[in-house]
Amino acid sequence: MFTKGMTKKVAMAAAAVVGLMGFSANAVTINGAGASFPAPVYRAWTYSYKQATGNTINYQSVGSGAGIRQIKAKTVDFGASDKPLKKADQDKAGLVQFPMLMGGVVVIVNLPGIKSNQLRLSADVLADIFLGKITKWNDARVKADNPGVSLPNMNITVVHRSDGSGTTWIYTNYLSKISTAWKNGPGCGKAVRWPCGQGGQKNPGVAMNVKKTKGSIGYVEYTYATEAKLATVVLKNKAGNYVKPNMESFSAAGANAEWSKAPGFYMVLTDQPGAKTWPITGVTYILIYKNQKNKSLGKEMLKYFTWCYKEGAGTATRMSYVPIPDSVVKIVKSMWAEKLNL
């Protein structure tokens, strides 16, 4: 049995514990959904953020298309997409968009005897493989890109996304820029009518299908390639140089991006100039409503995104994503102050 004095001491002790933890009494839950492109780093961020603040960030990696649908349906607090919405589309839906990370979409292969970054593909050859015009790995045009490399007499199996995907949007945006046949055929979109191949759900599904299918080729965000230990391909960029996918080449793609002149932060970084530029670099975005019905929750969201920009940058770099530069974060925060009703 507690005496009155003991009860008071217990209450004081409990209050002291809450004070030391700094967050338990006011912890909140924030729900988001969308792109699988940034999902590995988002998972790391949400874990670290909960340890630091007590707040829970639930993120569903369901693909960019589903993320856009869910934020428009108001079933989540924020959406995430690798396909940027143009400003007119944002305004129509009452949304604002801002960049969270940059990263590379890479080409992966499963070829016996071929190591990572050993196979080289020029832009037109890559496009014609995905168009189904080049069907053998020892095709003369593939061999011309790879003098001295022993290529197998093996059928090419194309693996692509089967869901609405921002990664697909980035990839097909690139193919549309470097191939007239692709531009006038499948075109650019979150989902396109693929001329050949088999589908996989989200980035992990494509990686898994490539890993289990000899002779296959696909495309994923770089982290998924490294996690699955899949061989990446060296690509010929706009400057005519063969470049490897890595932090240096991803960063080079965004070096000349003029964010201050991008309405609604709409920015596309595929097929950019530069000797060291990776040609299939993308930006992943966050979408939230201008008018936040729950203003307290809205403010907590901004605290989380601010933490991601600052405290999460090191984790992003270690996982081979490119953090948004401080100069751009400053522009984003100015937009928050001007556009958001909090």
Side-chain angles (χ1 to χ4, degrees):
M1 178 181 289
F2 289 109
T3 65
K4 185 176 180 180
M6 291 173 65
T7 302
K8 185 176 180 180
K9 288 180 181 179
V10 170
M12 289 174 67
V17 170
V18 171
L20 286 170
M21 294 177 70
F23 52 72
S24 298
N26 300 307
V28 299
T29 298
I30 299 168
N31 297 308
S36 61
F37 179 102
V41 73
Y42 284 7
R43 284 195 295 269
W45 281 352
T46 56
Y47 175 81
S48 296
Y49 192 68
K50 184 167 186 176
Q51 297 301 304
T53 67
N55 289 346
T56 299
I57 312 296
N58 293 321
Y59 183 73
Q60 304 170 55
S61 173
V62 291
S64 295
I68 292 171
R69 288 193 297 273
Q70 288 198 38
I71 187 62
K72 286 185 174 180
K74 300 183 179 180
T75 58
V76 291
D77 301 309
F78 68 91
S81 175
D82 311 323
K83 176 195 179 297
L85 294 185
K86 292 188 175 179
K87 190 174 185 303
D89 297 327
Q90 297 172 43
D91 291 343
K92 184 178 179 181
L95 296 165
V96 294
Q97 167 182 275
F98 50 91
M100 201 73 243
L101 287 166
M102 295 181 285
V105 175
V106 301
V107 178
I108 51 175
V109 293
N110 180 348
L111 279 175
I114 300 298
K115 298 177 182 178
S116 193
N117 296 333
Q118 183 179 9
L119 184 74
R120 307 196 311 180
L121 293 177
S122 53
D124 59 331
V125 170
L126 177 68
D128 281 353
I129 287 173
F130 277 81
L131 283 166
K133 294 181 178 181
I134 296 176
T135 59
K136 291 277 190 178
W137 280 113
N138 63 345
D139 182 278
R141 292 172 64 196
V142 181
K143 291 172 72 173
D145 281 346
N146 296 275
V149 177
S150 179
L151 293 166
N153 180 16
M154 181 179 288
N155 290 333
I156 297 174
T157 300
V158 168
V159 181
H160 54 76
R161 289 284 286 268
S162 57
D163 55 324
S165 157
T167 307
T168 293
W169 187 89
I170 294 168
Y171 191 65
T172 58
N173 180 273
Y174 171 68
L175 293 180
S176 295
K177 287 179 176 177
I178 53 91
S179 168
T180 301
W182 189 276
K183 181 180 180 180
N184 295 334
C188 173
K190 296 193 299 293
V192 299
R193 188 180 295 276
W194 293 94
C196 60
Q198 58 179 254
Q201 277 283 320
K202 299 183 282 188
N203 276 284
V206 172
M208 181 177 64
N209 283 358
V210 170
K211 191 162 189 173
K212 71 182 183 182
T213 308
K214 291 190 185 303
S216 61
I217 182 171
Y219 60 93
V220 292
E221 192 280 325
Y222 181 63
T223 301
Y224 292 93
T226 58
E227 286 181 347
K229 296 181 172 57
L230 286 162
T232 54
V233 176
V234 174
L235 296 181
K236 195 173 187 178
N237 67 12
K238 193 171 187 175
N241 299 326
Y242 283 100
V243 292
K244 296 177 182 179
N246 54 40
M247 280 292 289
E248 182 183 15
S249 59
F250 302 157
S251 297
N256 299 314
E258 295 186 280
W259 288 98
S260 62
K261 297 180 181 179
F265 291 100
Y266 184 94
M267 180 67 66
V268 180
L269 297 178
T270 56
D271 201 33
Q272 293 295 300
K276 298 180 179 180
T277 294
W278 180 251
I280 322 178
T281 303
V283 183
T284 193
Y285 295 87
I286 297 295
L287 292 159
I288 62 175
Y289 277 93
K290 290 180 183 178
N291 294 314
Q292 293 286 321
K293 289 186 177 180
N294 185 335
K295 291 180 171 51
S296 177
L297 188 68
K299 289 175 182 176
E300 290 297 330
M301 270 200 296
L302 296 193
K303 287 181 184 177
Y304 170 63
F305 297 135
T306 298
W307 181 94
C308 293
Y309 282 136
K310 186 177 180 181
E311 306 299 332
T315 299
T317 300
R318 287 192 294 274
M319 297 179 74
S320 299
Y321 292 86
V322 181
I324 300 300
D326 289 342
S327 59
V328 181
V329 173
K330 186 176 180 180
I331 300 172
V332 170
K333 289 182 176 179
S334 294
M335 182 276 288
W336 291 347
E338 178 186 352
K339 300 289 186 182
L340 299 181
N341 180 17
L342 287 175

